[in-house]
Amino acid sequence: MRDRIATGMLSLAIIITVACAAIISVQAVAAEQDGTFAGTWTASGQWQPLDFEEGREVFIFKLSGHVNLKNEIGEVKDFWSECVGLWDSKTGGSTRCAWRDPNGNKAAYIVISGQLVKEDVKVTGEFVGGAGTLEGLTGTLSFTWSDVYRNETDRIVTGYTKDLTGSYGIPKVGN
C-alpha cells in the first residue's frame, strides 16, 4: 500500500512539474516583446509620372528589396520589402510597405509619409501592425537614403539606406 501511495505521489509530482513548465513556457511566448534594431535596406522599382498641374511633379511608385537587420524584430532579421506610394512635390508623399520574412509567414506593416527617395533625405516611418508573430506590431523607424539612382528614361529608381534604426513593441498574444 505504501508503495502505491509513494508511486501516486511521485506521479502527481511529475504531472505538476510538467504542468508548471508548460504554463511557464506559454507565458514566455505570450509575453510582450520590445526592442530596438539597426540595419540596411536596399529597394528598387519603377515610378510613373502623372499628368498634373504645371510645375508640380506627381508620380506613383512601387519598390521592393531586401531589409537586413543586425538584430531581430520578433525573431526575424531578414525581410523582403514591398512598397507602393504616391509623391507630390507640393504636398509630399505617402508610402505603404509590407516587410515579410523569407517564408512569408510573418510581416511588418509600415506607413511612411512626406519623403522622396532622394540622396541624403532623412525618412521616418511607423509600424502599424503585422502578421503571424508580429501581429499588433507598433513602433517607429528612420533611415537616410544614400546612393539613389533615378533613371528618367526607363523610370527606374534604386536606393540604398544607411543608418536604418528603430524601436518596436509586440503585444501579448491574445490582446
Side-chain angles (χ1 to χ4, degrees):
M1 181 74 162
R2 283 186 174 165
D3 288 339
R4 282 188 168 165
I5 292 173
T7 302
M9 296 284 275
L10 181 59
S11 296
L12 182 59
I14 290 171
I15 290 170
I16 290 172
T17 302
V18 169
C20 288
I23 289 169
I24 289 169
S25 75
V26 166
Q27 287 176 338
V29 168
E32 182 176 337
Q33 296 179 34
D34 61 0
T36 61
F37 62 91
T40 60
W41 184 6
T42 303
S44 183
Q46 294 196 307
W47 56 277
Q48 178 67 46
L50 300 175
D51 185 21
F52 210 72
E53 180 181 22
E54 188 175 330
R56 189 169 172 179
E57 184 180 19
V58 177
F59 58 86
I60 57 173
F61 59 90
K62 183 174 182 179
L63 304 173
S64 59
H66 184 239
V67 179
N68 183 14
L69 301 179
K70 294 176 187 171
N71 36 357
E72 303 163 337
I73 297 176
E75 302 175 2
V76 182
K77 289 175 79 169
D78 284 309
F79 291 94
W80 185 256
S81 68
E82 292 184 317
C83 302
V84 295
L86 169 73
W87 170 255
D88 181 329
S89 61
K90 185 173 181 179
T91 61
S94 182
T95 306
R96 304 295 182 265
C97 298
W99 289 1
R100 298 193 186 287
D101 77 320
N103 297 321
N105 301 327
K106 302 170 188 168
Y109 304 129
I110 303 162
V111 172
I112 299 172
S113 298
Q115 306 296 333
L116 179 63
V117 179
K118 186 175 176 182
E119 279 186 36
D120 296 322
V121 170
K122 183 76 167 182
V123 178
T124 59
E126 177 182 6
F127 291 109
V128 295
T133 57
L134 301 179
E135 185 175 342
L137 177 67
T138 59
T140 59
L141 64 115
S142 66
F143 56 88
T144 304
W145 285 111
S146 65
D147 302 321
V148 173
Y149 171 75
R150 183 172 157 183
N151 180 302
E152 300 289 331
T153 305
D154 296 328
R155 297 186 179 133
I156 294 172
V157 63
T158 300
Y160 178 78
T161 67
K162 58 183 177 183
D163 67 7
L164 171 64
T165 60
S167 62
Y168 70 92
I170 303 170
K172 294 180 182 178
V173 175
N175 284 353

